[in-house]
């Protein structure tokens, strides 16, 4: 398995974990050419939360992802991570 395939799988597993763990408005997996980052990336919008829960960070850490952004947007939080 090359690095890109491994990175893609880690991003996909983290995305699935977030969909199961927390209420999300959406979770997108972006290929290196699609996103603003030059790596596989995950963009999650957490629905109706006042803060980002520790299990969100845990899901990202479990897959050894790099946190790029955590930002409130109205009643939601946006989380971006890369592999």
């Amino acid at each position: 398995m090359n690095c890109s395939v491994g990175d893609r799988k880690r991003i996909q597993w983290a995305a699935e974990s977030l969909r199961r763990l927390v209420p999300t408005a959406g979770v997108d997996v972006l290929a290196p050419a699609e996103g603003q980052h030059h790596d596989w990336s995950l963009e999650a919008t957490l629905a109706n939360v006042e803060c980002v829960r520790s299990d969100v960070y845990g899901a990202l850490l479990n897959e050894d992802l790099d946190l790029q952004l955590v930002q409130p947007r109205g009643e939601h939080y946006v989380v971006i991570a890369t592999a």
Side-chain angles (χ1 to χ4, degrees):
M1 169 168 48
N2 66 34
C3 211
S4 182
V5 171
D7 291 346
R8 183 187 72 219
K9 286 184 178 184
R10 291 185 5 245
I11 286 286
Q12 290 172 332
W13 290 330
E16 186 56 36
S17 292
L18 291 181
R19 289 181 188 109
R20 286 189 322 240
L21 290 173
V22 295
T24 59
V27 180
D28 294 321
V29 172
L30 303 172
E34 295 175 334
Q36 64 184 5
H37 302 280
H38 299 289
D39 302 306
W40 281 94
S41 59
L42 172 151
E43 295 183 9
T45 302
L46 310 179
N48 302 315
V49 296
E50 294 180 18
C51 65
V52 178
R53 298 181 346 199
S54 61
D55 52 354
V56 171
Y57 295 116
L60 302 178
L61 283 172
N62 284 343
E63 299 304 332
D64 196 28
L65 302 183
D66 297 319
L67 187 61
Q68 300 296 325
L69 174 76
V70 175
Q71 181 178 11
R73 286 205 187 135
E75 296 177 353
H76 306 302
Y77 261 85
V78 174
V79 176
I80 299 175
T82 57

